[in-house]
């Protein structure tokens, strides 16, 4: 958590108690009591829905971020690694998880396993598969794995 200027307005117009370090991390305000290290989180500063995107092609990250902004969704993280995607999901607690099921070169954890784990970890998560392939059996497989929707790129 990075420390932010204490002179900014405290919650509910009050003042920050002595010994409290205020910070902002990933769009969520939080304060940490310096003596005990206890953290108190406040509602997100940005009320828009958030998304994490798993896609091996980095060129698509910015394009999808742009499209999401147009519909009022904030892309908080994008990666080509299923392992990293799971960490990002735990860190950001997004509303949407967008992913490509085909992630070439991933040995330890493939995108399908990542989708299963993500849906099991956070049942409120909406998972959407974005794929360049649209065969019917792939759509059924995505639904079986926990995806809420399957969109052809």
């Amino acid at each position: 958590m990075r420390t932010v200027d204490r002179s900014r307005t405290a919650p509910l117009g009050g003042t920050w108690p002595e010994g409290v370090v205020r910070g902002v991390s990933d769009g969520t305000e939080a304060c940490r009591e310096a003596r005990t290290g206890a953290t108190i989180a406040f509602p997100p500063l940005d009320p828009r829905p958030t998304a994490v995107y798993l896609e091996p092609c980095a060129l698509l990250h910015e394009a999808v971020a742009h499209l999401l902004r147009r519909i009022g969704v904030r892309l908080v993280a994008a990666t080509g690694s299923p392992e990293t995607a799971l960490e990002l999901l735990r860190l950001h607690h997004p509303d949407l998880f967008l992913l490509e099921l085909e992630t070439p070169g991933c040995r330890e954890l493939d995108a399908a396993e990542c989708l299963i784990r993500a849906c099991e970890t956070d049942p409120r998560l909406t998972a959407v598969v974005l794929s360049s392939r649209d065969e019917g059996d792939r759509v059924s497989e995505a639904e079986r794995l926990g995806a809420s929707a399957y969109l052809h790129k």
Side-chain angles (χ1 to χ4, degrees):
M1 180 182 305
R2 65 183 171 90
T3 304
V4 178
D5 182 6
R6 280 177 164 265
S7 64
R8 291 184 57 192
T9 306
L12 304 176
T15 59
W16 290 99
E18 195 57 41
V20 172
V21 177
R22 178 169 181 250
V24 177
S25 175
D26 306 309
T28 303
E29 288 192 44
C31 68
R32 180 174 46 84
E33 201 278 316
R35 188 175 52 83
T36 65
T39 302
I40 304 166
F42 298 98
L45 298 172
D46 189 342
R48 293 180 298 169
T50 57
V52 167
Y53 184 33
L54 170 58
E55 166 62 58
C57 179
L59 293 173
L60 291 176
H61 294 176
E62 189 56 39
V64 168
H66 175 73
L67 292 172
L68 290 173
R69 275 192 303 272
R70 291 188 65 184
I71 61 169
V73 176
R74 186 169 51 100
L75 183 64
V76 293
T79 182
S81 161
E83 294 86 3
T84 304
L86 285 175
E87 288 301 317
L88 292 169
L89 290 167
R90 281 191 277 275
L91 176 68
H92 295 287
H93 302 287
D95 302 293
L96 293 171
F97 178 37
L98 307 171
L99 71 151
E100 166 65 71
L101 283 178
E102 292 186 23
T103 51
C106 297
R107 299 270 186 256
E108 295 176 22
L109 176 71
D110 66 0
E113 181 66 23
C114 180
L115 174 57
I116 292 168
R117 288 188 192 177
C119 292
E120 288 173 350
T121 303
D122 187 355
R124 68 167 193 81
L125 182 68
T126 300
V128 177
V129 173
L130 303 175
S131 183
S132 55
R133 304 175 88 190
D134 65 349
E135 297 97 20
D137 59 332
R138 297 199 43 87
V139 175
S140 300
E141 177 71 5
E143 289 174 351
R144 187 186 68 72
L145 294 171
S148 300
Y150 187 101
L151 300 174
H152 185 253
K153 291 189 230 176

